[in-house]
Amino acid sequence: MADATDTADTTGTTGAGRTGTDWQAWQDSWDRQQEWYMPDREERFRVMLDMVEALVGPTPRVLDLACGTGSITDRVLKRFPGATSTGVDLDPALLTIARGHFAGDGRVAFVTADLKDPDWRSALPHAGYDAVLTATALHWLHSEELAVLYGQLAPLLAPGGVFMNADHMPDPATPRINAAERAHRHAGMDRAKAAGALDWRDWWALAAADPALAEPTARRFEIYGEHADGDTPSADWHAETLRAAGFAEARTVWRSPSDALVLGLK
Ligand SMILES: C[S@@+](CC[C@H](N)C(=O)[O-])C[C@H]1O[C@@H](n2cnc3c(N)ncnc32)[C@H](O)[C@@H]1O
């Protein structure tokens, strides 16, 4: 599934550019939709970038893994203007928004690749990165697939390089706490939805109705269906699997009742 690198358009005259689509509005709407599920999403990103700065400094070469619309890349470049970023994803619609939004920015490149493809790294424009960052994405993979992926990520980082995964990582030892927290969170989501918040399904219906996104949205549903089926192993599982994959240190650096940010240091 891996194919050639697309650097961000430097002329602003690609098909996406000609549509006059408001890519910033799509970015904002994606953020609101994701925040409906994760009200503390922005705090997760902030801690992620704090740890990037702490471990590899303010001019990182970033791989934004399963980048979607490029949410991590956007925050990286705003906070670290000297950074560069490669976004990799399989979703043609989210990549259309990403490419439209970052058109003209020579610091950014996007590649289409399936992280389950054993050869996905061949699509990358660089052999190495300082930071591999991912958010709310790797639960689309099953644990066995994720362990393989972690083994493929380690060689992309030199000693001192950092990997971070922010995702749903409930603690399997606390089912009653988990259930109570989930019920409380969903009650808040229901209230927000009644006040007009968009969920995943609503958001994709809007994308399908936009002429600039209708065709890639149809393709993404052919690829994934509604949503891929994966696992949500614990933060301890992620840390242990990262150590087994060749990371010298790995642990949780942030967590909420349902989610965690796990860091692996090469
Ligand atoms: C919920 S979105 C998160 C996007 C972004 N990281 C963010 O925080 O907004 C999950 C992303 O994972 C991507 N993804 C899931 N499985 C993938 C795979 N096998 N290969 C590449 N990307 C994948 C999806 O296409 C989607 O863009």
Side-chain angles (χ1 to χ4, degrees):
M1 270 288 198
D3 68 14
T5 304
D6 274 337
T7 48
D9 168 46
T10 52
T11 64
T13 56
T14 60
R18 277 195 303 268
T19 64
T21 302
D22 185 347
W23 299 116
Q24 184 63 57
W26 276 112
Q27 290 286 359
D28 293 344
S29 136
W30 173 259
D31 283 344
R32 298 298 85 75
Q33 177 253 115
Q34 288 286 289
E35 285 163 0
W36 182 69
Y37 295 94
M38 292 159 287
D40 41 17
R41 177 171 179 257
E42 212 55 49
E43 187 186 330
R44 282 194 334 185
F45 286 139
R46 179 185 61 74
V47 177
M48 179 182 272
L49 298 197
D50 282 350
M51 297 312 291
V52 166
E53 189 169 19
L55 286 156
V56 297
T59 55
R61 296 167 301 160
V62 169
L63 177 60
D64 183 354
L65 197 69
C67 62
T69 64
S71 300
I72 291 175
T73 294
D74 193 41
R75 286 151 181 83
V76 163
L77 295 179
K78 284 189 172 120
R79 177 152 163 188
F80 308 123
T84 58
S85 183
T86 302
V88 55
D89 205 285
L90 183 60
D91 187 312
L94 298 182
L95 282 172
T96 297
I97 295 172
R99 288 181 173 122
H101 180 70
F102 292 99
D105 192 331
R107 298 169 297 178
V108 186
F110 291 103
V111 299
T112 300
D114 184 350
L115 297 173
K116 297 180 187 175
D117 178 347
D119 196 31
W120 71 270
R121 288 174 298 179
S122 68
L124 298 176
H126 308 295
Y129 292 89
D130 303 312
V132 179
L133 308 176
T134 187
T136 328
L138 299 187
H139 68 274
W140 291 44
L141 273 58
H142 289 291
S143 303
E144 304 74 29
E145 296 164 331
L146 186 49
V148 171
L149 180 64
Y150 280 175
Q152 294 165 340
L153 294 179
L156 293 173
L157 293 162
V162 68
F163 167 74
M164 273 181 268
N165 178 14
D167 208 349
H168 312 313
M169 300 184 194
D171 186 334
T174 59
R176 288 166 55 214
I177 297 173
N178 299 353
E181 183 278 325
R182 186 176 189 284
H184 181 264
R185 181 162 34 92
H186 277 258
M189 289 163 70
D190 289 346
R191 286 192 298 275
K193 185 119 172 63
L198 297 183
D199 68 9
W200 181 259
R201 194 178 290 237
D202 300 331
W203 191 87
W204 280 110
L206 278 187
D210 185 326
L213 292 174
E215 186 275 332
T217 297
R219 274 194 286 132
R220 73 85 50 203
F221 276 93
E222 282 167 22
I223 293 168
Y224 286 123
E226 180 84 13
H227 195 293
D229 194 22
D231 297 327
T232 53
S234 69
D236 286 347
W237 181 93
H238 285 275
E240 281 162 26
T241 307
L242 286 168
R243 284 191 287 269
F247 287 84
E249 298 181 18
R251 72 166 170 89
T252 301
V253 291
W254 175 92
R255 83 157 298 141
S256 73
S258 58
D259 288 26
L261 174 60
V262 171
L263 183 156
L265 180 67
K266 188 76 183 301

Coordinates of all heavy atoms in Angstrom, one line a residue, residues 30 34 41 45 66-68 71 89-91 94 113-116 135-137 140-141 200 224, ligand 1:
W30 N -12.5 19.1 12.7 CA -11.9 17.8 13.1 C -11.5 17.8 14.6 O -11.8 16.9 15.3 CB -10.7 17.5 12.2 CG -9.9 16.3 12.7 CD1 -8.7 16.3 13.4 CD2 -10.3 14.9 12.5 NE1 -8.3 15.0 13.7 CE2 -9.2 14.1 13.1 CE3 -11.3 14.2 11.9 CZ2 -9.3 12.7 13.1 CZ3 -11.3 12.8 11.9 CH2 -10.3 12.1 12.5
Q34 N -12.9 15.5 17.5 CA -12.1 14.6 18.4 C -12.2 15.0 19.8 O -12.2 14.1 20.7 CB -10.6 14.7 17.9 CG -10.4 14.0 16.6 CD -10.4 12.5 16.7 OE1 -9.4 11.9 17.3 NE2 -11.4 11.9 16.2
R41 N -7.7 16.3 25.1 CA -6.8 16.1 23.9 C -5.7 17.1 23.8 O -4.6 16.7 23.6 CB -7.7 16.0 22.6 CG -6.9 15.8 21.3 CD -7.9 15.6 20.2 NE -7.4 15.5 18.9 CZ -7.3 16.4 18.0 NH1 -7.8 17.6 18.2 NH2 -6.8 16.1 16.8
F45 N -1.5 16.7 23.9 CA -0.6 17.2 22.9 C 0.5 18.1 23.6 O 1.7 18.1 23.2 CB -1.3 18.1 21.8 CG -2.1 17.3 20.8 CD1 -3.3 17.7 20.4 CD2 -1.6 16.1 20.2 CE1 -4.1 17.0 19.5 CE2 -2.3 15.4 19.3 CZ -3.6 15.9 18.9
A66 N 0.2 7.9 11.6 CA -1.2 7.9 11.5 C -1.7 9.3 11.7 O -2.5 9.6 12.6 CB -1.8 6.9 12.4
C67 N -1.2 10.3 10.9 CA -1.4 11.7 11.1 C -2.8 12.3 11.0 O -3.0 13.3 11.5 CB -0.4 12.4 10.2 SG -0.8 12.2 8.4
G68 N -3.6 11.6 10.3 CA -5.0 12.1 10.0 C -4.8 13.4 9.3 O -4.2 13.5 8.2
S71 N -2.8 16.8 12.9 CA -3.0 17.6 14.1 C -1.7 17.7 14.9 O -1.4 18.8 15.5 CB -4.0 16.9 15.0 OG -5.3 16.7 14.4
D89 N -0.3 8.3 6.7 CA -1.6 7.8 7.0 C -2.1 7.1 5.7 O -1.5 7.1 4.7 CB -2.6 9.0 7.3 CG -3.7 8.6 8.2 OD1 -4.7 7.9 7.6 OD2 -3.7 8.9 9.4
L90 N -3.2 6.4 5.9 CA -3.8 5.7 4.8 C -5.1 6.3 4.4 O -5.7 5.9 3.3 CB -4.1 4.2 5.3 CG -4.7 3.2 4.4 CD1 -3.7 3.0 3.1 CD2 -4.9 1.9 5.1
D91 N -5.7 7.2 5.1 CA -7.0 7.8 4.8 C -6.9 8.9 3.8 O -6.4 10.0 4.1 CB -7.6 8.3 6.2 CG -9.1 8.7 6.0 OD1 -9.4 9.5 5.0 OD2 -9.9 8.4 6.8
L94 N -8.7 12.4 5.0 CA -7.9 13.1 6.0 C -6.6 13.7 5.4 O -6.2 14.8 5.7 CB -7.7 12.3 7.3 CG -9.0 11.8 8.0 CD1 -8.6 11.0 9.2 CD2 -9.9 13.0 8.3
A113 N 0.5 5.4 3.3 CA 1.0 4.1 3.5 C 0.1 3.4 4.6 O -0.5 4.1 5.5 CB 2.4 4.1 4.0
D114 N 0.0 2.1 4.5 CA -0.7 1.3 5.5 C 0.3 0.8 6.5 O 1.2 0.0 6.1 CB -1.4 0.1 4.7 CG -2.2 -0.8 5.7 OD1 -2.1 -0.6 6.9 OD2 -3.0 -1.6 5.1
L115 N 0.1 1.1 7.7 CA 1.1 0.7 8.8 C 1.1 -0.8 9.0 O 2.0 -1.3 9.7 CB 0.8 1.5 10.1 CG 0.9 3.0 10.0 CD1 0.5 3.7 11.3 CD2 2.4 3.4 9.7
K116 N 0.2 -1.5 8.4 CA 0.2 -2.9 8.5 C 1.0 -3.6 7.4 O 1.2 -4.8 7.3 CB -1.2 -3.5 8.4 CG -2.1 -3.1 9.6 CD -3.5 -3.7 9.5 CE -4.4 -3.1 10.5 NZ -5.8 -3.6 10.3
A135 N -1.1 9.9 17.9 CA -2.2 10.1 18.9 C -3.5 9.5 18.4 O -3.9 9.6 17.2 CB -2.4 11.6 19.1
T136 N -4.2 8.8 19.3 CA -5.6 8.3 19.0 C -5.7 7.5 17.7 O -6.6 7.6 17.0 CB -6.6 9.5 18.9 OG1 -6.2 10.6 19.8 CG2 -8.0 9.0 19.4
A137 N -4.7 6.7 17.5 CA -4.6 6.0 16.2 C -4.3 4.5 16.3 O -4.8 3.7 15.6 CB -3.6 6.7 15.3
W140 N -6.4 1.3 16.4 CA -7.0 0.8 15.2 C -6.3 -0.5 14.8 O -6.7 -1.2 13.8 CB -6.9 1.7 14.0 CG -7.8 3.0 14.1 CD1 -8.0 3.8 15.2 CD2 -8.5 3.6 13.1 NE1 -8.8 4.8 14.9 CE2 -9.2 4.7 13.6 CE3 -8.7 3.3 11.7 CZ2 -10.0 5.5 12.9 CZ3 -9.5 4.1 11.0 CH2 -10.2 5.2 11.5
L141 N -5.2 -0.8 15.5 CA -4.4 -2.1 15.2 C -4.6 -3.1 16.3 O -4.9 -2.7 17.5 CB -2.9 -1.8 15.1 CG -2.4 -1.3 13.7 CD1 -3.0 -0.1 13.2 CD2 -0.9 -1.1 13.9
W200 N -18.4 11.2 15.2 CA -17.6 10.7 14.1 C -18.5 10.5 12.9 O -18.2 11.0 11.8 CB -17.1 9.3 14.6 CG -16.3 8.5 13.6 CD1 -16.7 7.5 12.9 CD2 -14.9 8.7 13.3 NE1 -15.7 6.9 12.1 CE2 -14.5 7.7 12.4 CE3 -13.9 9.6 13.7 CZ2 -13.2 7.5 11.9 CZ3 -12.6 9.4 13.2 CH2 -12.3 8.4 12.3
Y224 N -11.7 1.4 5.0 CA -11.9 1.1 6.5 C -13.2 0.6 6.9 O -13.4 0.1 8.0 CB -11.6 2.4 7.3 CG -10.2 2.8 7.4 CD1 -9.8 4.1 7.0 CD2 -9.2 2.0 8.0 CE1 -8.5 4.6 7.1 CE2 -7.9 2.5 8.1 CZ -7.6 3.8 7.7 OH -6.3 4.2 7.8
Ligands
LIG1 C1 -8.8 9.1 15.1 S1 -7.6 9.4 13.8 C2 -6.3 10.4 14.6 C3 -5.6 11.3 13.7 C4 -4.6 12.2 14.4 N1 -3.4 11.5 14.9 C5 -5.2 13.1 15.4 O1 -4.9 12.9 16.6 O2 -6.1 13.9 15.1 C6 -6.8 7.8 13.5 C7 -6.0 7.8 12.3 O3 -5.2 6.6 12.2 C8 -5.1 6.3 10.9 N2 -4.8 4.8 10.7 C9 -5.5 3.8 11.3 N3 -5.0 2.6 10.9 C10 -4.0 2.9 10.0 C11 -3.1 2.1 9.2 N4 -3.1 0.8 9.2 N5 -2.2 2.8 8.4 C12 -2.1 4.1 8.4 N6 -3.0 4.9 9.1 C13 -3.9 4.3 9.9 C14 -6.5 6.6 10.3 O4 -6.5 6.7 8.9 C15 -6.7 7.9 11.0 O5 -6.2 9.0 10.3

